[in-house]
Amino acid sequence: MFVWLWLGFSSVAAAADLPHRVPDTLAQRLQACTVCHGAEGRATPGGYFPRIAGKPLDYLYHQLLHFRDGRRNNAGMSYLLDHMGDAYLRDIAGHYAGLDLPYPPPLPPAAPPAVLKRGEQLVRQGDPARGLPACNDCHGARMTGVAPAVPGLLGLPRDYLIGQLGAWQTGLRKAFEPDCMARIARLMAPEDVSAVASWLAAQPVPVPAHPQAALSGPMPMDCGLTPPAWRRQP
């Protein structure tokens, strides 16, 4: 019996001495992202943090550049990305862009019917008298984004949408010039921002939720979706 006990203790001690091996995969390296963006970048339908799974690759890549280079203002993101090179940021973007995961149902609307109706009007038709294009004109007919660099606007929390439009209005968020979203956001009244965000957040995400391959027509204005040609690296 003492022999078996000794053998048992010896096996436990030997197992304790074995090094703990963490798989060297990109998914493992990106565990820090799950703290805010949820498991596999899914996020949640409520709150401030956006879903990043399934967004267009170039969109995700350029947002990482914006955070790292100061065009988007978030201290945590800037700290995490400060020493990452362009190639690694593209690998991160490719990882999340390649995730094809279901969306949860939207939360119940947080606005009265009249506000939701106004929000739908702005999303689908815009307000030509004020120079506001429809969101559909750039983000796709189903609002799931357009490859390779235009994001979808469904499946995002209302507070996040309001926060981002406000950041463009105040200059806390910038894109490559010409910064069309900054121009559009500054044309929107506070009630427009609330209406659009409330309607978008209340919509179910279509299945499949893949970005469109291309827009059916030209964008309503020049938009700096990618870096200016003179700054691109070969």
Side-chain angles (χ1 to χ4, degrees):
M1 177 176 179
F2 288 110
V3 172
W4 287 110
L5 286 173
W6 180 82
L7 289 174
F9 286 131
S10 298
S11 299
V12 170
D17 289 339
L18 291 175
H20 176 64
R21 298 189 181 278
V22 177
D24 186 15
T25 63
L26 189 58
Q28 177 62 36
R29 295 179 199 173
L30 299 180
Q31 285 298 302
C33 304
T34 67
V35 175
C36 296
H37 293 284
E40 300 177 298
R42 294 171 185 255
T44 59
Y48 188 77
F49 299 107
R51 176 186 174 114
I52 52 179
K55 289 286 190 291
L57 190 154
D58 277 10
Y59 171 75
L60 291 173
Y61 171 59
H62 292 135
Q63 298 318 298
L64 292 170
L65 290 179
H66 292 331
F67 279 119
R68 188 193 66 185
D69 299 340
R71 286 177 291 272
R72 290 191 67 171
N73 185 16
N74 182 288
M77 287 292 296
S78 299
Y79 177 79
L80 286 172
L81 303 175
D82 187 40
H83 300 293
M84 294 185 185
D86 292 4
Y88 192 56
L89 295 185
R90 182 165 281 279
D91 287 344
I92 294 173
H95 170 79
Y96 283 110
L99 297 177
D100 188 6
L101 305 168
Y103 281 76
L107 296 175
V115 172
L116 295 175
K117 182 178 179 180
R118 174 61 175 165
E120 182 177 13
Q121 178 187 24
L122 289 169
V123 169
R124 297 194 184 282
Q125 302 168 23
D127 191 338
R130 294 164 53 201
L132 273 173
C135 302
N136 287 148
D137 291 347
C138 297
H139 294 273
R142 301 191 310 154
M143 299 301 296
T144 56
V146 181
V150 180
L153 297 183
L154 300 183
L156 293 168
R158 175 179 177 271
D159 289 348
Y160 174 78
L161 292 166
I162 290 175
Q164 297 312 300
L165 288 168
W168 264 303
Q169 289 177 329
T170 60
L172 289 177
R173 178 170 179 174
K174 301 179 179 70
F176 301 118
E177 291 294 342
D179 193 344
C180 57
M181 273 306 306
R183 292 170 56 195
I184 291 169
R186 288 167 186 159
L187 291 171
M188 298 176 71
E191 55 268 25
D192 295 332
V193 171
S194 179
V196 166
S198 296
W199 186 83
L200 288 171
Q203 304 312 302
V205 180
V207 179
H210 303 150
Q212 286 181 212
L215 282 173
S216 57
M219 284 190 167
M221 61 178 65
D222 291 336
C223 211
L225 299 175
T226 59
W230 61 271
R231 292 182 57 190
R232 295 179 194 158
Q233 298 179 355

